[in-house]
Amino acid sequence: MSFGRAEGRALFALLATIKDGASSESVVERLWPGDEERGARRLDTAVRDINATMRQATGLAAHVKFVVKTGQRRRLPAAYFDVDWWQFEEACVQANSASGEHARREALRRMLDLYQGPLLADRDDAWCLSPRQAAATQAVRGALRLVDLERPENPDRALDVLTLVVDRIDPYNEVLWRQILMIQGDLGRLSAFEVTFQQLTERLAEIDARPSAQARQIYQRFIG
């Protein structure tokens, strides 16, 4: 979707991360900090831009609103939008509330399927950093919970989950790499184990770091 104005693009991105919406004051504070005098006008401009662009794209009548106001909160109506981030958050809630292991496992898998990379990766606004990091943290925690469920009965599936996470979500998280090493070591796959340890060493070198004492102890346990 291509909006005509920067204000419209910014507001749409923000509201896509908050299903219940945000107050006008909060929107202005996040998107245009220090611009309180013009902030309300910029918000109105953004709303008009989104409405006009979406009406043109969908062919819906002029009275249809794609940004609605409930009380003091602006939001994207679920009747017209279904954002993958909203689905991710719903899967997270389901994983936390599931009464059975099967339902919990399915919700955690759905979380990982929905996480396709950093949230709002195409935007470099300061306000994006916090929800982006929170999304990655949620995804990693979900992955570790899924690994705990999968590993006793299907260690290969647990390895697949961990490999996906270090490839797609958090390549420098040594906790994840250590779990891969432990599973490979326990399975006796020492060639793969050595490759993984080398990959860990190379990844950490990218951020001027080295494998921790715990990682080296795991290496010594299976190789030394």
PDB file of all heavy atoms in Angstrom, residues 52-64:
ATOM      1  N   ALA A  52      -8.423   8.180   2.121  1.00  0.00           N
ATOM      2  CA  ALA A  52      -8.473   8.414   0.678  1.00  0.00           C
ATOM      3  C   ALA A  52      -7.767   7.294  -0.081  1.00  0.00           C
ATOM      4  O   ALA A  52      -8.269   6.798  -1.102  1.00  0.00           O
ATOM      5  CB  ALA A  52      -7.838   9.763   0.346  1.00  0.00           C
ATOM      6  N   THR A  53      -6.600   6.893   0.404  1.00  0.00           N
ATOM      7  CA  THR A  53      -5.833   5.850  -0.280  1.00  0.00           C
ATOM      8  C   THR A  53      -6.572   4.520  -0.255  1.00  0.00           C
ATOM      9  O   THR A  53      -6.643   3.803  -1.277  1.00  0.00           O
ATOM     10  CB  THR A  53      -4.449   5.691   0.375  1.00  0.00           C
ATOM     11  OG1 THR A  53      -3.759   6.939   0.319  1.00  0.00           O
ATOM     12  CG2 THR A  53      -3.630   4.633  -0.338  1.00  0.00           C
ATOM     13  N   MET A  54      -7.141   4.160   0.893  1.00  0.00           N
ATOM     14  CA  MET A  54      -7.842   2.891   1.014  1.00  0.00           C
ATOM     15  C   MET A  54      -9.143   2.886   0.207  1.00  0.00           C
ATOM     16  O   MET A  54      -9.512   1.864  -0.380  1.00  0.00           O
ATOM     17  CB  MET A  54      -8.123   2.585   2.480  1.00  0.00           C
ATOM     18  CG  MET A  54      -6.889   2.322   3.321  1.00  0.00           C
ATOM     19  SD  MET A  54      -5.882   0.951   2.699  1.00  0.00           S
ATOM     20  CE  MET A  54      -7.069  -0.387   2.716  1.00  0.00           C
ATOM     21  N   ARG A  55      -9.826   4.000   0.176  1.00  0.00           N
ATOM     22  CA  ARG A  55     -11.054   4.061  -0.637  1.00  0.00           C
ATOM     23  C   ARG A  55     -10.730   3.873  -2.110  1.00  0.00           C
ATOM     24  O   ARG A  55     -11.439   3.173  -2.836  1.00  0.00           O
ATOM     25  CB  ARG A  55     -11.765   5.398  -0.414  1.00  0.00           C
ATOM     26  CG  ARG A  55     -12.464   5.507   0.935  1.00  0.00           C
ATOM     27  CD  ARG A  55     -12.905   6.922   1.212  1.00  0.00           C
ATOM     28  NE  ARG A  55     -13.431   7.061   2.575  1.00  0.00           N
ATOM     29  CZ  ARG A  55     -13.399   8.177   3.274  1.00  0.00           C
ATOM     30  NH1 ARG A  55     -12.876   9.281   2.736  1.00  0.00           N
ATOM     31  NH2 ARG A  55     -13.892   8.212   4.501  1.00  0.00           N
ATOM     32  N   GLN A  56      -9.647   4.498  -2.544  1.00  0.00           N
ATOM     33  CA  GLN A  56      -9.240   4.350  -3.937  1.00  0.00           C
ATOM     34  C   GLN A  56      -8.839   2.901  -4.233  1.00  0.00           C
ATOM     35  O   GLN A  56      -9.162   2.363  -5.287  1.00  0.00           O
ATOM     36  CB  GLN A  56      -8.082   5.286  -4.250  1.00  0.00           C
ATOM     37  CG  GLN A  56      -7.639   5.240  -5.712  1.00  0.00           C
ATOM     38  CD  GLN A  56      -6.530   6.249  -6.003  1.00  0.00           C
ATOM     39  OE1 GLN A  56      -5.958   6.830  -5.099  1.00  0.00           O
ATOM     40  NE2 GLN A  56      -6.249   6.447  -7.269  1.00  0.00           N
ATOM     41  N   ALA A  57      -8.147   2.267  -3.282  1.00  0.00           N
ATOM     42  CA  ALA A  57      -7.670   0.902  -3.500  1.00  0.00           C
ATOM     43  C   ALA A  57      -8.806  -0.121  -3.461  1.00  0.00           C
ATOM     44  O   ALA A  57      -8.771  -1.119  -4.181  1.00  0.00           O
ATOM     45  CB  ALA A  57      -6.625   0.548  -2.442  1.00  0.00           C
ATOM     46  N   THR A  58      -9.818   0.122  -2.632  1.00  0.00           N
ATOM     47  CA  THR A  58     -10.890  -0.854  -2.455  1.00  0.00           C
ATOM     48  C   THR A  58     -12.143  -0.545  -3.263  1.00  0.00           C
ATOM     49  O   THR A  58     -12.968  -1.437  -3.486  1.00  0.00           O
ATOM     50  CB  THR A  58     -11.289  -0.944  -0.973  1.00  0.00           C
ATOM     51  OG1 THR A  58     -11.791   0.335  -0.539  1.00  0.00           O
ATOM     52  CG2 THR A  58     -10.093  -1.343  -0.118  1.00  0.00           C
ATOM     53  N   GLY A  59     -12.298   0.713  -3.651  1.00  0.00           N
ATOM     54  CA  GLY A  59     -13.503   1.104  -4.363  1.00  0.00           C
ATOM     55  C   GLY A  59     -14.712   1.269  -3.464  1.00  0.00           C
ATOM     56  O   GLY A  59     -15.843   1.393  -3.963  1.00  0.00           O
ATOM     57  N   LEU A  60     -14.497   1.280  -2.144  1.00  0.00           N
ATOM     58  CA  LEU A  60     -15.602   1.451  -1.215  1.00  0.00           C
ATOM     59  C   LEU A  60     -16.056   2.912  -1.174  1.00  0.00           C
ATOM     60  O   LEU A  60     -15.324   3.819  -1.559  1.00  0.00           O
ATOM     61  CB  LEU A  60     -15.198   0.978   0.182  1.00  0.00           C
ATOM     62  CG  LEU A  60     -14.956  -0.534   0.308  1.00  0.00           C
ATOM     63  CD1 LEU A  60     -14.487  -0.882   1.718  1.00  0.00           C
ATOM     64  CD2 LEU A  60     -16.218  -1.321  -0.040  1.00  0.00           C
ATOM     65  N   ALA A  61     -17.277   3.103  -0.692  1.00  0.00           N
ATOM     66  CA  ALA A  61     -17.894   4.427  -0.723  1.00  0.00           C
ATOM     67  C   ALA A  61     -17.157   5.424   0.158  1.00  0.00           C
ATOM     68  O   ALA A  61     -16.416   5.053   1.078  1.00  0.00           O
ATOM     69  CB  ALA A  61     -19.355   4.315  -0.273  1.00  0.00           C
ATOM     70  N   ALA A  62     -17.396   6.680  -0.108  1.00  0.00           N
ATOM     71  CA  ALA A  62     -16.676   7.751   0.583  1.00  0.00           C
ATOM     72  C   ALA A  62     -16.987   7.804   2.073  1.00  0.00           C
ATOM     73  O   ALA A  62     -16.195   8.351   2.846  1.00  0.00           O
ATOM     74  CB  ALA A  62     -17.006   9.094  -0.065  1.00  0.00           C
ATOM     75  N   HIS A  63     -18.146   7.252   2.485  1.00  0.00           N
ATOM     76  CA  HIS A  63     -18.480   7.326   3.911  1.00  0.00           C
ATOM     77  C   HIS A  63     -17.737   6.275   4.744  1.00  0.00           C
ATOM     78  O   HIS A  63     -17.754   6.343   5.976  1.00  0.00           O
ATOM     79  CB  HIS A  63     -19.989   7.151   4.114  1.00  0.00           C
ATOM     80  CG  HIS A  63     -20.473   5.767   3.826  1.00  0.00           C
ATOM     81  ND1 HIS A  63     -20.826   5.352   2.552  1.00  0.00           N
ATOM     82  CD2 HIS A  63     -20.639   4.683   4.631  1.00  0.00           C
ATOM     83  CE1 HIS A  63     -21.212   4.098   2.590  1.00  0.00           C
ATOM     84  NE2 HIS A  63     -21.104   3.662   3.833  1.00  0.00           N
ATOM     85  N   VAL A  64     -17.094   5.309   4.092  1.00  0.00           N
ATOM     86  CA  VAL A  64     -16.380   4.255   4.820  1.00  0.00           C
ATOM     87  C   VAL A  64     -15.115   4.839   5.437  1.00  0.00           C
ATOM     88  O   VAL A  64     -14.338   5.533   4.769  1.00  0.00           O
ATOM     89  CB  VAL A  64     -16.009   3.083   3.888  1.00  0.00           C
ATOM     90  CG1 VAL A  64     -15.144   2.071   4.634  1.00  0.00           C
ATOM     91  CG2 VAL A  64     -17.267   2.430   3.348  1.00  0.00           C
TER      92      VAL A  64
END
